[in-house]
Amino acid sequence: MNDNKIMALHQAIDKHQIKGFLAQDEAEALYRFALEAANLGPCLEIGSYCGKSSVYLGSACREKNSTLFAVDHHRGSEEHQPGEEYHDAELFDPTAQVMDTLPALRRTLDLFDLQDTVVPVVAPSQVVVKQWATPLGLVFIDGGHSHAQALADCLCWAEKIQPGGLLLIHDIFPSPQDGGQGPYLALQAVVARGDFHWETTVNSLGVLHRR
Ligand code: SAH
Ligand code: MG
């Protein structure tokens, strides 16, 4: 039954040309894991960009009458800046001379009717985590991919997850030929805490379960 819902989401994402960095199998996994974890508490993502991941996590949260907190400063990661590999000129604010993905996120949330489910939090991850007190059912980390940033995000947010909850980390590449090592090293640091079990990997999405 959920398969039809996922197909409909994929089709709507394509139709509206929602920009993002998420493969279909990873998107589907976000939806399924969020459905499972939403019973434990709200979900939270670091790195919303234009809202592709927010649609899959948020749709699951809406089904469970839960909430997704979507954290992003909306100024882009290093690789999104002008002249860098993943720069998109359509997302650059020429007046302020900065990246601004917040309007695209809002448009996506409107298109998918997620205004009452997804709460955008427009700030750097480390500023938000400092005051965060609500125990979470699921956290999805897809913000800055440097070793330092990925490590800080994974370790700080892991603390906020309920026992039985999930930590999902994007861009896990065990082999350096396939991609940057920041998220993978951060995942290993979380596993070294001893209270998270690396359950599975869907494409480049690492799935950790808190005991
Ligand atoms: N999950 C998205 C892709 C995220 S791209 C998708 O499904 O397509 C990475 C995002 O992380 C960018 O939008 C960038 O602005 C954000 N980001 C990078 N460093 C951050 C930080 N320290 N705090 C908050 N957001 C950050
Ligand atoms: Mg990513």
Side-chain angles (χ1 to χ4, degrees), residues 36-103:
E36 195 182 301
N39 296 321
L40 290 172
C43 298
L44 180 143
E45 71 172 356
I46 304 298
S48 308
Y49 194 61
C50 302
K52 191 168 183 184
S53 49
S54 325
V55 163
Y56 291 91
L57 293 167
S59 297
C61 287
R62 187 178 52 202
E63 257 178 79
K64 294 285 184 175
N65 199 21
S66 187
T67 300
L68 171 70
F69 295 96
V71 179
D72 197 313
H73 51 41
H74 288 286
R75 294 307 188 209
S77 303
E78 285 168 29
E79 65 273 19
H80 302 135
Q81 303 308 316
E84 300 299 325
E85 189 178 357
Y86 292 99
H87 180 62
D88 182 338
E90 285 176 8
L91 301 171
F92 191 73
D93 176 346
T95 310
Q97 287 286 305
V98 286
M99 289 295 293
D100 188 1
T101 49
L102 182 57

Side-chain angles (χ1 to χ4, degrees), residues 110-164:
D110 288 346
L111 283 169
F112 286 83
D113 197 20
L114 288 167
Q115 307 94 328
D116 293 340
T117 304
V118 181
V119 179
V121 181
V122 185
S125 166
Q126 293 302 308
V127 173
V128 181
V129 77
K130 215 164 51 172
Q131 305 295 344
W132 194 268
T134 304
L136 297 163
L138 177 152
V139 172
F140 170 55
I141 306 274
D142 194 20
H145 287 39
S146 70
H147 184 202
Q149 187 66 51
L151 190 65
D153 280 349
C154 288
L155 288 177
C156 295
W157 286 103
E159 297 278 335
K160 312 292 183 185
I161 298 172
Q162 292 269 38

